[in-house]
Amino acid sequence: MSTLGRIAAFAVGLAVVFGLAVYVGRAAGPDVTDEVANEEHDGMGDMEDMSGEPGGDHADGDHGAAYQLDLARPEVEPGRRTVDFTIVDEHGDPLLDYDVVHEKRLHLVVIGTPSLTDFQHVHPTMAADGRWTARLALAPGSYQVYADATTGGENFVANTELTVTGHHPRPAPVPAATVLERTGPYAVAMTRGEGRVTFTISRAGKPVTELEPYLGANGHLVVIETAGFDYLHAHPLDGPPGPQVSFEVAESAERHRMFLEFKHDGAVRRVEFTVNGTERADGQSDSHGEEGENHEH
Ligand SMILES: [Cu+2]
C-alpha cells in the first residue's frame, strides 16, 4: 500500500474508532489520484489492522480534495515577510466561510523540504474577498504549505509547494531519530505503543503538571512523512495538564517528523522528533536498530 494510502487509512480508521479530531492532508502531486484509486481497490489492508473495520468512508480525504491552496506567487524572493493565498473550491471560487476551530479560522503550517525542518505554524488574516495573508520567515529553499481549516463542519487540509528563490544552502538531511528532545529548560521524552504516542514533559528535571491550554488543548501534534509530505494534525487525549500528553497516532511504516507544541509559563514551546518507519524497504531509514523508538539517546 502506498504511503498516502497508509496514512489515509490510518486517519480514517482513527476517526471511525476513536472519533478524534484527526485531519489528513494529501500531498499535491501528479500521482495522488492514482494512489487514492489504488487505495480503494486494494482492500484497505492496513485499515483492517488498525481498526478491525474494513471499508469505512473516505470522507476525510474527499473533503481535502475539494479545496485547493492557491498561492498568489508560488515563487517568492528571499526577505519577503508575507505570503498571500486563497482557498478555492472545485469551481475556482474563493472560500469565504470558515469555522473557528482551536480558536482560529485557519491554521497554516509551513515546513522546509526535503529535510522537514524550519516548522512554522501561523494564523493568517483574511480579507473580505477571501485572500489570506500570512507572516512567515522565509529563507531560500523549498517548502510545503498546509492550510488546515474547517468549513460547514468539515475539516480539510489543502497543501502546495512554495519556493523561495536565492542561494539555497546545501539541503540539510532529515534529522536523525531521537526519543528525547530539549527546548530551553524543557526536556520532552517520547514513547510509542498501542497506537499512541506519549510525550512526557519536564522542566529542569521536574515534571511539568501545569500545562496551559494552547489553542484550546494541552498540546498540538503535527505529523509529516518524509517521503510524500503527508500531513496529519492530532489533538491530545483527555488527561491532566502534564506531565504526560498522549495522542492517538498509529505507528507509520514511513519515516516521519513529529512537531509537538505546548504552552507553559506563558510561552509556546515546540519540540521536534524524527521517527523512523516500521518498514525500511527503501533503505532511506537512518535507523541502526529495528525501530526508532528503540534508540537510546
Ligand atoms: Cu493554528
Side-chain angles (χ1 to χ4, degrees):
M1 182 183 286
S2 67
T3 303
L4 185 69
R6 284 180 200 282
I7 205 156
F10 144 58
V12 172
L14 286 185
V16 167
V17 173
F18 301 108
L20 289 184
V22 176
Y23 315 135
V24 179
R26 298 213 152 135
D31 53 358
V32 164
T33 308
D34 288 342
E35 290 194 357
V36 171
N38 289 341
E39 167 62 25
E40 285 170 349
H41 291 151
D42 74 6
M44 303 291 290
D46 282 13
M47 179 152 174
E48 291 169 5
D49 296 342
M50 314 268 317
S51 68
E53 285 207 32
D57 67 56
H58 290 260
D60 287 16
D62 292 343
H63 294 305
Y67 297 100
Q68 287 190 4
L69 197 172
D70 267 9
L71 292 170
R73 297 171 61 202
E75 218 176 84
V76 300
E77 65 279 9
R80 196 177 168 83
R81 302 244 173 114
T82 61
V83 166
D84 292 347
F85 64 94
T86 351
I87 304 296
V88 296
D89 65 17
E90 65 267 41
H91 308 297
D93 297 325
L95 180 65
L96 301 177
D97 299 320
Y98 297 84
D99 304 343
V100 172
V101 174
H102 291 284
E103 302 177 4
K104 303 291 178 184
R105 293 192 297 166
L106 187 141
H107 300 260
L108 195 76
V109 168
V110 178
I111 190 78
T113 57
S115 58
L116 302 189
T117 53
D118 301 314
F119 177 95
Q120 298 177 68
H121 172 182
V122 300
H123 301 110
T125 52
M126 191 184 82
D129 64 356
R131 174 170 287 217
W132 292 89
T133 301
R135 292 189 70 85
L136 296 168
L138 296 169
S142 56
Y143 299 84
Q144 279 286 315
V145 182
Y146 304 85
D148 188 333
T150 300
T151 183
E154 303 286 356
N155 175 254
F156 66 89
V157 177
N159 69 302
T160 192
E161 191 176 312
L162 170 70
T163 301
V164 181
T165 59
H167 177 68
H168 295 214
R170 191 162 146 265
V174 174
T178 58
V179 293
L180 181 73
E181 287 291 332
R182 297 176 193 279
T183 176
Y186 298 88
V188 181
M190 177 191 66
T191 54
R192 302 211 63 179
E194 298 183 355
R196 69 178 58 178
V197 56
T198 298
F199 299 95
T200 305
I201 303 170
S202 61
R203 179 182 181 166
K206 291 183 182 163
V208 170
T209 55
E210 294 168 327
L211 287 174
E212 296 154 24
Y214 171 53
L215 300 171
N218 282 338
H220 291 262
L221 183 68
V222 165
V223 182
I224 302 176
E225 290 194 346
T226 60
F229 308 140
D230 288 323
Y231 167 106
L232 184 146
H233 178 185
H235 296 112
L237 297 167
D238 287 339
Q244 296 199 319
V245 184
S246 293
F247 299 81
E248 291 284 1
V249 173
E251 291 184 70
S252 168
E254 302 291 340
R255 185 167 60 158
H256 52 280
R257 297 264 293 153
M258 290 187 164
F259 305 88
L260 172 73
E261 294 172 289
F262 61 92
K263 189 174 178 183
H264 186 246
D265 237 1
V268 176
R269 304 281 180 166
R270 185 180 76 245
V271 285
E272 311 181 356
F273 294 86
T274 296
V275 181
N276 291 320
T278 53
E279 287 178 8
R280 298 165 60 202
D282 57 9
Q284 262 193 27
S285 170
D286 49 14
S287 170
H288 300 293
E290 286 303 308
E291 296 177 4
E293 64 200 343
N294 290 337
H295 283 250
E296 297 300 330
H297 190 77

